[in-house]
Amino acid sequence: MEEQFPIQKVMDDQGNITDEKTLQQIDEELVKKAYYHMKRIRLFDRKAISLQRQGRIGTYPPFEGQEASQVGSVLALGTDDWVFPTYRDHGATLTFGADMVRTFLYWNGRAEGCVPPEGKNIFPAAVPIATQIPHAVGTAWAEKRKGTQNVTLCYFGDGATSEGDFHEGLNFASVFQTPTIFFNQNNRYAISVPIEKQMHSKTIAQKGLAYDLPSVRIDGNDIFSVYFETKKAVERARNGGGPTLIEAVTWRTGAHTTADDPTKYRPEEQGKDVVNPLDRLEHFMKNYSYWYDAWIDQIEHELTEEVEAAVEAMEHFPQPDPSDLFDHVFANPPEQLSEQKQSYLELLGRG
Amino acid sequence: MDVKMERKAEQTNSTQVLTMVQAINDGLKTMLEEDDTTILLGEDIGKNGGVFRATEGLQEQFGEDRVVDTPLSESGIVGTSVGLAVNGFKPVAEMQFMGFIYPAYDQIMTHVSRLRMKTMGHYSVPMVIRAPYGAGIRAPEIHSDSAEALFTHMPGIKVVCPSTPYDAKGLLIAAIEDPDPVLFMEPMRSYRAQREEVPEGKYTVEIGKGEKLQEGTDVTLIAWGAMIPVAKQAAKQVEQKEISCEILDLKTLYPLDRDLIAESVQKTGRAIIIHEAHATGGLGNDLISEINDTSFLYLRSPIERVTGFDVPVPFFALEDHYLPTPQRVLQSIEKAVHF
Ligand SMILES: Cc1ncc(C[n+]2csc(CCOP(=O)(O)OP(=O)(O)O)c2C)c(N)n1
């Protein structure tokens, strides 16, 4: 299966493009966009970890190492498409237009963090593993029924492929030929469980075969490979060609979450040879004369300020309101629920 | 006989001072040593020792065949455990959090709890499902559910929930030895909240028996798991008002210790039920029925419930508003006493 699904890449670890045709498709706009967003989400991610350490937000699952997978894939979408993230995919959602203040709020235990900006189709991060996969299929199915050309992009990890929802989602997508891109980030661990113990199959891409899905295995740390392969899948879906499964092989640099200790289960030397996707893009930019010092300095400065301002806004966000416990359960709250609310607010002295 | 005395009689000589999560670890270890057919299954329970370290060191000691890191699939874990149980093993399956038990609900509802009945006793499913539950630790969404009523409603499975390290180990061993499936709920908030003397080696706490934690005369507080400390705090606070609370720790949620409840409520004439699950369809309602059946004429006030609200357990910024607090219990005690 590894022969049938080799890891495809167009850029090597030193940032050299190994495929002439791809090189012609890369322009300054794409390079700058890719770098800008990868840098931006890197700063966000590191800030979130440090906020957690200081007790300013709750448990946080870092995505460092997976920036190329997240940015490259989501950049291939159009504005009216849909994104279905997991808890680790804030890099993708931020790039797609999620609000940074609200993304911080999410990790501070606030449901406000699940509300997408007006006009952005972003589902709340799925916490129960693989449950978002059928949603992405249903949403795509609805787009198809409505006769639009919009597609859905669904993120999930290697561990998620063990859940029933993964298989059920792929089968529905296959049967109803929905415009769905199943984007797997194979970061080789599901918390402590390595991929070899998660599955006996050698690749995740091969799981698409059972459902007759076009499937591809790519280097998830190669931003260009991710971008162009996702773009292909998106085009196919838009033009009625149905779903695609993409396995992006990547590496989570840090812990599963801030509550996790990877030294308990990952050999120290493992992953040492992985070139960080942002470094790899930097090499490319230097190799191909896209490295503009002034621009780099400027965005670094801007982005640092953006992240700081978002933290500030998160911390000055209005306090959570106990009424919110009750107000959003139904469109029209049943009487007994309104009574529970009333008596609780009275107890708080706010009735 | 006084419960405390019973305990003493059971105890072996040496004890260790353990937290609840350590006591659970010790209980699992005891049964892995005791019975070769005991097998642990779960996500991240092996090399990682469990996300709460409940299985720390066990894979190292007993090997990968007996302490198994499974694929990420709750339905798979429980479904294969049914097969293992039917075919000679004693599976102890861990759900990483109770909020992730739902993919396995199908297996539990349709097979774990029914196999004995549908084969007229030919096959049975002696397995344990461990599930850390409850809010109050600032965990992400879904990690904080308290879903006992979905299972007490389910015929054919027992449900237990300790509130102390001693009971955790003893109930766990009893659950593993039980001929039928047992859901073992672990209050995450109490995992490391308290240390106490726990006997070394094997002992059991009987399934189906609760315990009177505090004698009182005016009102009976009924609780379990992480709500025990809340009940205790409320009882302490009303002492100043000269209201005397009796506190019952149910420990087993199905089958209920009906005698313990009846005896206490018949004495005090008042009952407050405290649970962190939602009110509607919550176990509190069964307890009210139980009291109605056994003690209606002894009641001096309507039975009160202090529960989580009928809303999904919120994200953690609001979880303290969702959870029953001593203040809310206090309000109910006053209401009952001044009825
Ligand atoms: C249904 C369910 N079971 C268990 C968990 C606990 N859990 C959270 S993340 C995780 C591992 C997920 O691994 P993977 O799908 O590879 O994604 P990654 O975290 O590596 O991004 C587990 C077991 C959960 N969130 N949902």
Side-chain angles (χ1 to χ4, degrees):
Chain A
M1 280 298 165
E2 283 155 305
E3 294 84 57
Q4 194 170 338
F5 292 103
I7 298 180
Q8 298 187 22
K9 62 167 111 184
V10 295
M11 172 168 69
D12 67 18
D13 282 347
Q14 288 72 45
N16 298 308
I17 299 293
T18 50
D19 178 69
E20 208 35 55
K21 236 175 70 211
T22 306
L23 190 58
Q24 285 159 17
Q25 294 176 271
I26 298 173
D27 60 15
E28 183 170 314
E29 190 193 342
L30 176 63
V31 175
K32 280 188 156 177
K33 236 180 1 191
Y35 184 81
Y36 177 88
H37 285 292
M38 283 170 71
K39 187 84 197 172
R40 178 168 180 260
I41 66 171
R42 168 72 56 88
L43 291 172
F44 168 87
D45 193 58
R46 290 199 173 165
K47 178 54 83 178
I49 295 169
S50 105
L51 291 176
Q52 191 283 331
R53 294 220 171 103
Q54 299 163 46
R56 290 157 74 186
I57 62 171
T59 306
Y60 174 78
F63 52 70
E64 183 157 338
Q66 302 181 207
E67 291 94 341
S69 288
Q70 297 195 13
V71 170
S73 54
V74 91
L75 282 182
L77 290 184
T79 40
D80 293 332
D81 294 327
W82 290 79
V83 175
F84 291 78
T86 75
Y87 47 85
R88 203 184 301 289
D89 301 313
H90 296 292
T93 55
L94 283 168
T95 303
F96 194 59
D99 182 67
M100 193 181 283
V101 179
R102 285 184 182 256
T103 308
F104 277 128
L105 280 171
Y106 179 82
W107 292 108
N108 217 1
R110 300 288 296 267
E112 287 87 344
C114 289
V115 186
E118 208 49 57
K120 286 278 169 211
N121 298 322
I122 306 174
F123 243 56
V127 168
I129 301 299
T131 50
Q132 76 282 15
I133 298 174
H135 306 158
V137 176
T139 306
W141 193 2
E143 292 290 353
K144 183 177 171 183
R145 288 288 312 276
K146 290 196 281 188
T148 75
Q149 292 216 304
N150 300 330
V151 307
T152 64
L153 175 59
C154 183
Y155 292 99
F156 56 99
D158 37 286
T161 64
S162 294
E163 291 278 11
D165 275 344
F166 166 75
H167 299 274
E168 294 173 34
L170 260 62
N171 190 44
F172 267 66
S174 166
V175 169
F176 298 104
Q177 287 296 298
T178 64
T180 314
I181 294 94
F182 298 102
F183 193 91
N184 171 255
Q185 288 170 82
N186 174 3
N187 66 13
R188 299 186 244 170
Y189 278 86
I191 309 188
S192 70
V193 179
I195 187 99
E196 309 78 50
K197 294 210 163 132
Q198 192 67 241
M199 61 195 70
H200 187 66
S201 33
K202 291 282 182 290
T203 74
I204 287 170
Q206 77 194 66
K207 293 174 196 264
L209 283 182
Y211 304 101
D212 214 1
L213 255 55
S215 306
V216 58
R217 188 167 200 234
I218 59 174
D219 180 341
N221 286 4
D222 166 1
I223 177 94
F224 297 118
S225 182
V226 174
Y227 175 74
F228 289 114
E229 278 303 331
T230 312
K231 197 120 192 129
K232 248 195 257 172
V234 168
E235 291 312 314
R236 175 162 47 231
R238 272 201 217 301
N239 297 318
T244 301
L245 171 62
I246 299 174
E247 173 186 357
V249 180
T250 180
W251 178 250
R252 131 161 90 73
T253 316
H256 167 72
T257 68
T258 47
D260 171 58
D261 174 11
T263 63
K264 284 205 65 139
Y265 55 81
R266 283 201 312 210
E268 208 186 323
E269 63 286 0
Q270 196 182 7
K272 283 262 163 27
D273 57 335
V274 177
V275 176
N276 189 293
L278 193 53
D279 292 346
R280 195 143 139 196
L281 180 60
E282 277 189 33
H283 295 323
F284 163 84
M285 290 165 78
K286 287 176 178 155
N287 295 347
Y288 294 86
S289 313
Y290 285 112
W291 190 258
Y292 311 116
D293 282 322
W295 181 74
I296 302 280
D297 288 349
Q298 183 205 330
I299 64 157
E300 187 149 352
H301 178 74
E302 276 173 24
L303 292 174
T304 308
E305 286 201 337
E306 183 194 1
V307 172
E308 289 304 328
V311 174
E312 172 97 8
M314 180 264 291
E315 294 194 320
H316 289 93
F317 205 80
Q319 286 303 302
D321 184 343
S323 301
D324 288 338
L325 272 183
F326 306 94
D327 288 349
H328 308 288
V329 184
F330 290 101
N332 305 303
E335 195 179 297
Q336 56 268 49
L337 191 53
S338 303
E339 275 172 26
Q340 288 183 8
K341 173 181 170 182
Q342 192 55 34
S343 75
Y344 184 57
L345 293 183
E346 269 163 28
L347 182 71
L348 294 179
R350 295 180 26 174
Chain B
M1 184 162 74
D2 186 280
V3 185
K4 293 271 156 15
M5 300 234 330
E6 257 175 21
R7 268 190 182 190
K8 266 208 193 84
E10 280 176 12
Q11 275 178 19
T12 50
N13 290 334
S14 41
T15 61
Q16 33 190 163
V17 178
L18 301 179
T19 61
M20 182 185 289
V21 73
Q22 289 168 334
I24 289 167
N25 181 283
D26 195 44
L28 293 170
K29 190 169 122 192
T30 304
M31 293 313 282
L32 283 161
E33 274 166 351
E34 162 97 10
D35 179 355
D36 277 351
T37 65
T38 307
I39 171 171
L40 312 191
L41 299 93
E43 296 156 8
D44 307 288
I45 66 164
K47 202 157 189 183
N48 200 37
V51 295
F52 291 104
R53 306 291 177 248
T55 50
E56 177 95 62
L58 298 181
Q59 189 180 69
E60 231 166 274
Q61 188 176 346
F62 298 96
E64 291 188 31
D65 287 341
R66 298 192 63 201
V67 180
V68 187
D69 274 325
T70 67
L72 206 176
S73 163
E74 291 74 14
S75 184
I77 293 169
V78 173
T80 55
S81 289
V82 170
L84 285 161
V86 163
N87 205 7
F89 285 86
K90 276 269 183 179
V92 183
E94 178 181 292
M95 300 287 103
Q96 202 161 81
F97 291 83
M98 191 166 211
F100 303 134
I101 202 171
Y102 306 123
Y105 197 78
D106 182 13
Q107 284 292 341
I108 307 172
M109 187 62 158
T110 60
H111 297 291
V112 172
S113 61
R114 296 189 206 214
L115 201 58
R116 178 185 289 283
M117 187 187 160
K118 69 178 137 192
T119 61
M120 301 180 84
H122 182 73
Y123 291 125
S124 60
V125 188
M127 68 180 283
V128 177
I129 302 172
R130 295 179 40 240
Y133 84 93
I137 61 160
R138 280 169 62 86
E141 192 207 5
I142 320 283
H143 291 68
S144 309
D145 284 14
S146 181
E148 66 272 13
L150 300 180
F151 299 93
T152 54
H153 181 71
M154 192 183 271
I157 184 166
K158 298 175 185 176
V159 182
V160 302
C161 181
S163 74
T164 65
Y166 178 93
D167 286 348
K169 179 175 171 186
L171 270 175
L172 180 59
I173 292 174
I176 295 172
E177 294 201 312
D178 199 276
D180 284 306
V182 180
L183 175 65
F184 186 85
M185 293 172 57
E186 302 174 5
M188 281 182 270
R189 232 188 339 165
S190 313
Y191 263 160
R192 296 181 171 84
Q194 171 201 1
R195 287 170 181 279
E196 72 174 351
E197 300 240 344
V198 173
E200 281 177 9
K202 192 171 150 191
Y203 69 92
T204 56
V205 169
E206 192 181 342
I207 294 177
K209 287 271 175 279
E211 181 180 345
K212 189 189 297 174
L213 299 182
Q214 177 179 313
E215 283 279 353
T217 50
D218 298 323
V219 53
T220 302
L221 307 185
I222 304 173
W224 58 89
M227 287 298 108
I228 293 294
V230 175
K232 281 183 175 168
Q233 278 177 48
K236 185 127 200 95
Q237 288 175 26
V238 288
E239 259 173 29
Q240 300 150 356
K241 301 189 176 170
E242 316 233 311
I243 299 173
S244 150
C245 294
E246 183 141 305
I247 303 177
L248 306 184
D249 181 351
L250 285 186
K251 302 187 194 182
T252 294
L253 310 185
Y254 189 90
L256 290 169
D257 188 344
R258 308 166 73 199
D259 293 344
L260 179 79
I261 299 163
E263 190 193 316
S264 175
V265 176
Q266 288 173 14
K267 180 177 72 176
T268 62
R270 301 182 187 92
I272 319 272
I273 299 153
I274 308 158
H275 63 63
E276 69 173 276
H278 323 293
T280 300
L283 189 64
N285 303 350
D286 291 289
L287 289 162
I288 291 175
S289 301
E290 204 55 59
I291 296 169
N292 192 43
D293 289 349
T294 59
S295 316
F296 182 71
L297 293 176
Y298 296 84
L299 289 178
R300 296 200 271 174
S301 69
I303 302 160
E304 288 281 317
R305 284 172 304 163
V306 184
T307 69
F309 299 111
D310 283 341
V311 306
V313 182
F315 285 32
F316 72 72
L318 284 173
E319 69 181 349
D320 292 342
H321 288 289
Y322 170 83
L323 282 171
T325 54
Q327 189 197 12
R328 282 173 61 200
V329 178
L330 222 69
Q331 192 188 35
S332 288
I333 294 175
E334 301 242 12
K335 207 168 141 195
V337 171
H338 301 299
F339 177 73

